[in-house]
Amino acid sequence: FVDTRGRGLIRGLQCAEPAVAGEVCAAAFANGLLMETSGVNGEVIKCLPPLVVSEEEIEEGVGLLRRSIAAAASPKAAA
């Protein structure tokens, strides 16, 4: 990630390549975590948890995000 920004629990994770942000969001969706991209080129992953959220739910969401980032970063199988 190039940069992170935001306030409170609302965060934006800026990727160097817009395609990576899209891959992370797709992997997150496959893992049951709803995220979206923003930014001029779709290079920012938006983290927008609900206003009422428990610490356990945040920890679960961060775990899902970590798995999604790892899945997006792993080498793809040859087609």
Side-chain angles (χ1 to χ4, degrees):
F1 295 102
V2 176
D3 190 20
T4 62
R5 53 186 170 262
R7 290 192 174 190
L9 293 177
I10 300 172
R11 309 307 284 166
L13 308 172
Q14 184 179 4
C15 298
E17 295 293 326
V20 173
E23 290 175 15
V24 171
C25 287
F29 186 78
N31 287 320
L33 183 64
L34 183 59
M35 305 192 79
E36 60 183 42
T37 60
S38 66
V40 175
N41 298 307
E43 75 281 8
V44 178
I45 300 168
K46 293 195 299 188
C47 302
L48 301 165
L51 294 176
V52 180
V53 63
S54 69
E55 185 175 342
E56 293 80 21
E57 291 169 322
I58 292 294
E59 289 173 4
E60 180 182 4
V62 169
L64 290 170
L65 178 58
R66 284 184 178 145
R67 282 196 294 266
S68 302
I69 293 168
S74 68
K76 309 297 184 265

